[in-house]
Amino acid sequence: MRSSRGRGGQISLLSLAAWLALAVLLAGAFLAALGALNQTIYGSSSFVERYLSAIANDDIAEASTTPGVALDEAELAELGLPADVSTAMLRTGVVESGPEDVRIMSDVAHSDGSHTVTASYRLAEAIVESSFDVRPIESLYGVLNRWEFAVSPLAVIDVTAAHNPTFTVGTLTLDSRATKSGDELAAFTQVTPYLAIAPAVYEFSYSSVLLEAVPVPVQAGASARTPVTVDAQPTAAFVDRVQVQVDDFLTQCAAQAVLLPAQCPFGVQIDDRVASEPVWSIVSMPQVTLTPGESSFDMPPTEGIAHISVKVQSLFDGHHYTFEEDRPFTVALAATITPDGNIAIQLK
């Protein structure tokens, strides 16, 4: 009987040892799996890859809410930006192209737990390499790594909207005066900073009936500040409309049956007695050209020719004759687009 109980005790001890060994194996397997997850899916490299993939997929909501991307007021001030800096470009449909063919070149761990992750990728036709500093934050469920950018990868794009406050980036049309007030609203050329997801390529342009700016591609690097000028120039339609106004003005001047038409660029003085109503005609209209000035689109002094025909009587001997003469003149003006989309011209 004693011998039987001893064998049972030995079996129980062996079973317990087996269960303990299995538990140790399972715990080891769990820890190994956890370690693998923290090295891969929840690793610093994967964190950077997910951010870059979100940009490539035009998922700007995910990219902009990635930990460490948003800038607080102190960080904005450090960058010399106002607290109300425009975030209008942080939306879908703005990025022309994001990072493709992403490859992690290195992932260097530092003693404080932070990592420097270097990635290579293609932006449009360029191959670019960038380094991102990331650091750990409160883990998920207490065991899975979470990260944030130590330095926000957001770019600042300083947009110079030359000669027109409105510009287009991607599918979005923006007014560079949106965050301004007072005298700044009247400036002919506006300079406005915008926060932009980076790295990415953007295309800035503008096109309307009256103004057009040649598209300008901009490669916005991570944590970089990049300038771009959207240079709006008058279209042929703008020039044609100003030409019509100039022609109408000069035609009305020519309709005045006087030697010196009021507020007009041409006229003549005759010493003899005028014996009939003067008849003016425009031989050559000034051809309008427009270039941007300080506050308007300007036409430099441009020559035209008017012709006068009038019967006169000589004060010297009393004989009658017809005075005929071409009178060269010049017209200069400033043209602006009014808020209702019309064109106002001011003669100089």
Side-chain angles (χ1 to χ4, degrees), residues 63-216:
S64 59
T65 55
T66 298
V69 170
L71 293 166
D72 60 28
E73 192 169 331
E75 290 170 320
L76 290 172
E78 189 175 345
L79 293 171
L81 298 171
D84 64 346
V85 62
S86 179
T87 58
M89 286 179 57
L90 300 179
R91 65 180 70 184
T92 297
V94 177
V95 171
E96 184 72 15
S97 60
E100 303 283 354
D101 303 328
V102 176
R103 296 183 181 182
I104 300 300
M105 308 303 290
S106 65
D107 187 340
V108 180
H110 304 293
S111 57
D112 61 356
S114 64
H115 285 233
T116 299
V117 179
T118 301
S120 173
Y121 47 88
R122 177 171 52 83
L123 270 182
E125 301 304 319
I127 302 300
V128 182
E129 191 170 288
S130 301
S131 293
F132 302 89
D133 291 324
V134 301
R135 59 193 174 201
I137 57 177
E138 184 179 356
S139 58
L140 184 63
Y141 309 124
V143 291
L144 296 173
N145 290 340
R146 293 176 66 235
W147 304 87
E148 70 174 1
F149 288 106
V151 176
S152 171
L154 283 179
V156 179
I157 300 180
D158 292 302
V159 178
T160 298
H163 325 129
N164 178 50
T166 308
F167 65 92
T168 299
V169 53
T171 60
L172 184 66
T173 298
L174 296 174
D175 189 328
S176 56
R177 302 167 299 182
T179 60
K180 299 181 180 180
S181 60
D183 293 340
E184 289 182 315
L185 294 173
F188 192 43
T189 291
Q190 300 280 343
V191 181
T192 308
Y194 290 83
L195 295 180
I197 285 293
V201 173
Y202 296 87
E203 184 174 88
F204 291 81
S205 63
Y206 184 74
S207 181
S208 69
V209 173
L210 299 180
L211 297 173
E212 187 166 13
V214 174
V216 181

Side-chain angles (χ1 to χ4, degrees), residues 321-341:
Y321 65 97
T322 299
F323 180 88
E324 299 266 359
E325 186 175 275
D326 284 344
R327 301 291 294 182
F329 63 91
T330 60
V331 172
L333 59 83
T336 56
I337 300 174
T338 60
D340 60 3

